[in-house]
mmCIF file of all heavy atoms in Angstrom:
data_model
loop_
_atom_site.group_PDB
_atom_site.id
_atom_site.type_symbol
_atom_site.label_atom_id
_atom_site.label_comp_id
_atom_site.label_asym_id
_atom_site.label_seq_id
_atom_site.Cartn_x
_atom_site.Cartn_y
_atom_site.Cartn_z
ATOM 1 N N ALA A 390 7.527 14.203 34.066
ATOM 2 C CA ALA A 390 6.837 15.343 34.695
ATOM 3 C C ALA A 390 5.314 15.069 34.722
ATOM 4 O O ALA A 390 4.740 14.657 33.707
ATOM 5 C CB ALA A 390 7.201 16.598 33.895
ATOM 6 N N PHE A 391 4.738 15.404 35.832
ATOM 7 C CA PHE A 391 3.275 15.198 36.038
ATOM 8 C C PHE A 391 2.439 16.227 35.281
ATOM 9 O O PHE A 391 2.805 17.422 35.417
ATOM 10 C CB PHE A 391 2.850 15.283 37.470
ATOM 11 C CG PHE A 391 3.519 14.209 38.276
ATOM 12 C CD1 PHE A 391 4.643 14.530 39.105
ATOM 13 C CD2 PHE A 391 3.050 12.900 38.292
ATOM 14 C CE1 PHE A 391 5.323 13.553 39.803
ATOM 15 C CE2 PHE A 391 3.680 11.923 39.045
ATOM 16 C CZ PHE A 391 4.910 12.225 39.832
ATOM 17 N N PRO A 392 1.456 15.866 34.450
ATOM 18 C CA PRO A 392 0.672 16.908 33.741
ATOM 19 C C PRO A 392 -0.456 17.516 34.720
ATOM 20 O O PRO A 392 -1.080 16.783 35.398
ATOM 21 C CB PRO A 392 0.081 16.134 32.626
ATOM 22 C CG PRO A 392 -0.017 14.729 33.135
ATOM 23 C CD PRO A 392 1.055 14.542 34.097
ATOM 24 N N ILE A 393 -0.574 18.795 34.664
ATOM 25 C CA ILE A 393 -1.616 19.450 35.307
ATOM 26 C C ILE A 393 -2.423 20.081 34.096
ATOM 27 O O ILE A 393 -1.981 21.158 33.611
ATOM 28 C CB ILE A 393 -1.130 20.667 36.207
ATOM 29 C CG1 ILE A 393 -0.137 20.095 37.314
ATOM 30 C CG2 ILE A 393 -2.306 21.316 36.924
ATOM 31 C CD1 ILE A 393 0.474 21.163 38.233
ATOM 32 N N VAL A 394 -3.587 19.530 33.786
ATOM 33 C CA VAL A 394 -4.194 20.018 32.538
ATOM 34 C C VAL A 394 -5.613 20.210 32.664
ATOM 35 O O VAL A 394 -6.329 19.626 33.549
ATOM 36 C CB VAL A 394 -3.998 18.854 31.443
ATOM 37 C CG1 VAL A 394 -2.494 18.623 31.209
ATOM 38 C CG2 VAL A 394 -4.720 17.587 31.845
ATOM 39 N N ARG A 395 -6.167 21.117 31.851
ATOM 40 C CA ARG A 395 -7.636 21.287 31.921
ATOM 41 C C ARG A 395 -8.348 20.136 31.099
ATOM 42 O O ARG A 395 -7.704 19.614 30.128
ATOM 43 C CB ARG A 395 -8.020 22.612 31.089
ATOM 44 C CG ARG A 395 -9.444 22.791 31.107
ATOM 45 C CD ARG A 395 -9.906 24.152 30.781
ATOM 46 N NE ARG A 395 -11.251 23.987 30.496
ATOM 47 C CZ ARG A 395 -11.942 23.964 29.445
ATOM 48 N NH1 ARG A 395 -11.330 24.225 28.370
ATOM 49 N NH2 ARG A 395 -13.282 23.695 29.449
ATOM 50 N N ALA A 396 -9.352 19.670 31.662
ATOM 51 C CA ALA A 396 -10.029 18.508 31.109
ATOM 52 C C ALA A 396 -10.781 18.834 29.787
ATOM 53 O O ALA A 396 -11.932 19.169 29.861
ATOM 54 C CB ALA A 396 -11.064 17.943 32.078
ATOM 55 N N THR A 397 -9.988 18.864 28.699
ATOM 56 C CA THR A 397 -10.636 19.183 27.371
ATOM 57 C C THR A 397 -9.917 18.380 26.391
ATOM 58 O O THR A 397 -8.739 18.005 26.414
ATOM 59 C CB THR A 397 -10.477 20.672 27.106
ATOM 60 O OG1 THR A 397 -11.111 20.937 25.859
ATOM 61 C CG2 THR A 397 -9.027 21.095 27.058
ATOM 62 N N GLY A 398 -10.596 17.984 25.208
ATOM 63 C CA GLY A 398 -10.070 17.349 24.012
ATOM 64 C C GLY A 398 -9.165 16.228 24.347
ATOM 65 O O GLY A 398 -9.399 15.346 25.184
ATOM 66 N N GLY A 399 -7.909 16.236 23.786
ATOM 67 C CA GLY A 399 -7.047 15.124 23.927
ATOM 68 C C GLY A 399 -6.421 15.148 25.341
ATOM 69 O O GLY A 399 -5.904 14.055 25.713
ATOM 70 N N LEU A 400 -6.485 16.193 26.060
ATOM 71 C CA LEU A 400 -5.969 16.256 27.411
ATOM 72 C C LEU A 400 -6.725 15.310 28.256
ATOM 73 O O LEU A 400 -6.272 14.513 29.054
ATOM 74 C CB LEU A 400 -5.926 17.590 28.000
ATOM 75 C CG LEU A 400 -5.023 18.670 27.272
ATOM 76 C CD1 LEU A 400 -5.219 19.962 27.873
ATOM 77 C CD2 LEU A 400 -3.598 18.220 27.335
ATOM 78 N N LYS A 401 -8.123 15.434 28.129
ATOM 79 C CA LYS A 401 -9.012 14.506 28.867
ATOM 80 C C LYS A 401 -8.851 13.115 28.524
ATOM 81 O O LYS A 401 -9.044 12.177 29.300
ATOM 82 C CB LYS A 401 -10.425 14.988 28.479
ATOM 83 C CG LYS A 401 -11.466 14.770 29.472
ATOM 84 C CD LYS A 401 -12.791 15.456 29.135
ATOM 85 C CE LYS A 401 -13.282 15.097 27.668
ATOM 86 N NZ LYS A 401 -14.519 15.817 27.293
#
Side-chain angles (χ1 to χ4, degrees):
F391 300 99
I393 305 175
V394 302
R395 177 165 174 254
T397 182
L400 297 177
K401 204 168 53 181

